[in-house]
Amino acid sequence: KTQSEKVHLWVAREKIYLLRKNWEMTKNVLLKDMDSGNFYYSFRAFMDIDKKEIIPVLIGRLNSNGDAGMAEAFVNSGHYKLREAAEHWAARNGYIIISVPK
């Protein structure tokens, strides 16, 4: 199997320990997925893996080539740094974020 197939299988089977154990491979595969348009899938996987070092990378992606969908995902992620970054991005790009209670 390719690295991509392994990581996708582990994500599908929620094998978080394998994703963490093989972090560099996981990170590379999921970042490539993000670049190819599979943002939400990769983002959710990163949030499940919960590696703090990915947060600045995600914020950098939002600031360099983010869109409203990415900002919305960050706002709803439950992570304060991602929410803050999304709010700043929205303000710079003319969007308004409205919080809706659950």
Side-chain angles (χ1 to χ4, degrees), residues 49-63:
I49 296 165
D50 194 30
K51 283 277 207 175
K52 304 299 182 222
E53 70 186 69
I54 200 64
I55 300 302
V57 174
L58 295 174
I59 291 170
R61 295 278 172 118
L62 175 68
N63 290 327

Side-chain angles (χ1 to χ4, degrees), residues 12 19 49 97-99:
L19 294 164
I49 296 165
I97 296 175
I98 299 172
S99 295

Side-chain angles (χ1 to χ4, degrees), residues 33-63:
D33 286 349
M34 281 186 150
D35 291 340
S36 68
N38 292 321
F39 167 77
Y40 194 75
Y41 170 85
S42 301
F43 178 69
R44 288 306 331 147
F46 279 135
M47 293 297 93
D48 290 343
I49 296 165
D50 194 30
K51 283 277 207 175
K52 304 299 182 222
E53 70 186 69
I54 200 64
I55 300 302
V57 174
L58 295 174
I59 291 170
R61 295 278 172 118
L62 175 68
N63 290 327

